[in-house]
């Protein structure tokens, strides 16, 4: 493994950081999350047209730039620094890889160029609060029980009028209220022959109701999606029995975890920078607060956590880009990154004193990102437990 970044990778980071510095400051973030879309559409257009961000990890024949998960993770690190609200995670990290892996030639040709150009946004809908389980980050469920099953719960799919119809409800769909396309996991086949399939649902489909929910982290908009005999298109060949869906979701979990870890590291690094700047200016007893040894030690501990998490995130991104993936590298990196972000945000609030607890200061946004991500993709102890099981850490010697 060569740990050095290429010239192209450095250029992606530099250009993206400059653009976000100009157009995604704290005030712009607050204004964006208050819009109906939950993000700045003009900024998303700029990210797509100037930097090709949505198609960064898509092949050139699909309209992308032909880069790998590593470049996408580096981009996520920069968007994490700014807490930039955008459909990047929902569209490019969670949905596009499934379309590429499982879609037919016609589906890939019809959808991926639009995603790569930024003109088409997409969201992944997994029934129940089970996104981390579906992605095999906090547990392995090879039967897909997280999707509901049988005749009740989750989303049910049945054939009708030569196609498919979906009925059910999906909670916590990231950017689901504004996405042009939904990729919904549903059960088909009844109780005895139940299997999990993925379906494409257009944002304007009849019988589809989407309501934006109040989320802990406003920079990650979530929606409740209701489907009432909604027309849908099966992802993949019509004769597919769904045998590839669960493994594909598990593979997606590794790359998604690497991107999420990089994003969390970017946020942790930024809030630590802001905290160090503040304690260098704020004075108490006639001297800067940052000159006190206790403050130095606390922030030094956070710095070590952030740097270790950054190394783990980079390795996970590199591993996810290889043909032979190291199992649980993404989960381990994500656990470490979420822990570092939580520590950095907590110390940031503490060091900022009373102002850190107010709505007017942006440091609380980083704390909410840490808590919100752990609710969606964790918790940390379960991420670590699964990684330990995969590495056989607690097995008896000789077994």
């Amino acid at each position: 493994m060569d740990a050095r970044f290429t010239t192209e990778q450095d250029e992606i980071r530099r250009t993206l950081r400059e653009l976000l510095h100009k157009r995604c400051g704290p005030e712009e973030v607050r204004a964006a999350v208050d819009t109906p879309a939950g993000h700045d559409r003009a900024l998303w257009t700029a990210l797509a047209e100037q930097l090709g961000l949505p198609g960064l990890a898509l092949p050139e024949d699909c309209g992308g730039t032909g880069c790998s998960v590593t470049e996408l993770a580096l981009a996520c690190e920069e968007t994490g620094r700014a807490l930039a609200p955008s459909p990047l995670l929902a569209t490019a990290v969670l949905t596009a890889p499934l379309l590429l892996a499982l879609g037919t030639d016609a589906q890939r040709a019809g959808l991926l160029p639009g995603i790569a150009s930024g003109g088409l946004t997409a969201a992944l809908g997994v029934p129940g609060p089970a996104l981390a389980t579906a992605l095999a980050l906090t547990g392995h469920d090879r039967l897909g029980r997280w999707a509901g099953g049988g005749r009740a719960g989750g989303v049910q799919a049945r054939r009708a009028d030569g196609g498919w119809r979906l009925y059910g409800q999906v909670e916590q769909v990231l950017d689901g209220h504004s996405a042009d396309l939904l990729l919904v996991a549903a059960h088909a086949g009844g109780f005895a022959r139940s299997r999990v399939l993925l379906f494409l649902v257009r944002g304007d489909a009849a019988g589809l109701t989407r309501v934006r929910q109040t989320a802990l982290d406003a920079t990650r908009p979530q929606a409740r999606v209701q489907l009432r005999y909604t027309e849908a298109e099966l992802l993949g060949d019509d004769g597919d029995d769904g045998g590839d869906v669960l493994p594909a979701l598990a593979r997606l979990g590794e790359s998604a975890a690497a991107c999420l870890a990089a994003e969390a590291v970017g946020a942790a690094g930024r809030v630590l920078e802001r905290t160090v700047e503040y304690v260098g200016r704020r004075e108490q007893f006639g001297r800067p607060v940052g000159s006190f040894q206790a403050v130095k030690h606390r922030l030094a501990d956070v710095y070590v956590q952030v740097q270790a998490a950054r190394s783990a995130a980079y390795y996970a991104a590199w591993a996810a880009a290889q043909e032979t993936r190291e199992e649980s590298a993404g989960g381990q990196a994500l656990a470490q990154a979420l822990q570092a972000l939580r520590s950095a945000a907590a110390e940031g609030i503490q060091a900022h004193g009373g102002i850190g607890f107010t709505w007017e200061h942006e440091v609380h946004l980083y704390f909410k990102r840490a808590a919100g991500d752990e609710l969606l993709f964790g918790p940390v102890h379960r991420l670590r437990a699964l990684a330990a099981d995969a590495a056989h850490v607690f097995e008896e010697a000789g077994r």
Side-chain angles (χ1 to χ4, degrees), residues 64-250:
T65 57
C67 294
S68 69
V69 176
T70 303
E71 286 76 18
L72 185 57
L74 293 177
C76 287
E77 183 180 0
E78 296 305 319
T79 59
R81 278 179 57 88
L83 294 184
S86 78
L88 181 65
L89 176 63
T91 300
V93 177
L94 295 177
T95 308
L98 291 173
L99 299 178
L100 181 63
L102 301 179
T104 64
D105 291 340
Q107 289 170 338
R108 289 195 290 265
L111 298 174
L112 291 179
I115 286 178
S117 69
L120 181 71
T121 58
L124 175 63
V126 173
L131 183 56
T133 303
L135 298 179
L137 294 176
T138 56
H140 290 295
D141 184 355
R142 294 177 175 84
L143 299 178
R145 287 179 291 248
W146 46 264
R151 297 179 179 274
V155 178
Q156 304 302 312
R158 65 175 57 183
R159 293 183 181 274
D161 303 324
W164 290 88
R165 299 278 179 170
L166 303 184
Y167 186 93
Q169 181 168 295
V170 185
E171 307 281 352
Q172 296 180 327
V173 182
L174 294 175
D175 288 292
H177 65 293
S178 61
D180 303 309
L181 178 72
L182 296 175
L183 184 59
V184 180
H187 262 286
F191 181 78
R193 300 178 58 189
S194 180
R195 63 195 189 279
V196 178
L197 300 173
L198 290 172
F199 294 90
L200 300 167
V201 179
R202 297 289 177 176
D204 57 356
L208 175 65
T209 303
R210 302 184 288 177
V211 180
R212 182 177 176 181
Q213 302 295 293
T214 300
L216 174 63
D217 178 11
T219 64
R220 282 217 199 284
Q222 299 176 30
R224 176 189 296 125
V225 175
Q226 294 178 329
L227 304 117
R228 296 295 181 262
Y229 299 110
T230 305
E231 184 177 354
E233 178 185 349
L234 178 67
L235 180 67
D237 295 324
D238 196 46
D240 190 0
D241 63 355
D244 294 333
V245 170
L246 298 181
L249 285 169

Side-chain angles (χ1 to χ4, degrees), residues 12 40 46 63 138 194 202 208 222 289 296 300 304 314 323-324 335 339:
I12 290 172
D40 184 350
T138 56
S194 180
R202 297 289 177 176
L208 175 65
Q222 299 176 30
V289 171
K296 290 181 179 179
V304 171
Y314 290 167
E323 292 184 3
T324 303
Q339 181 67 52

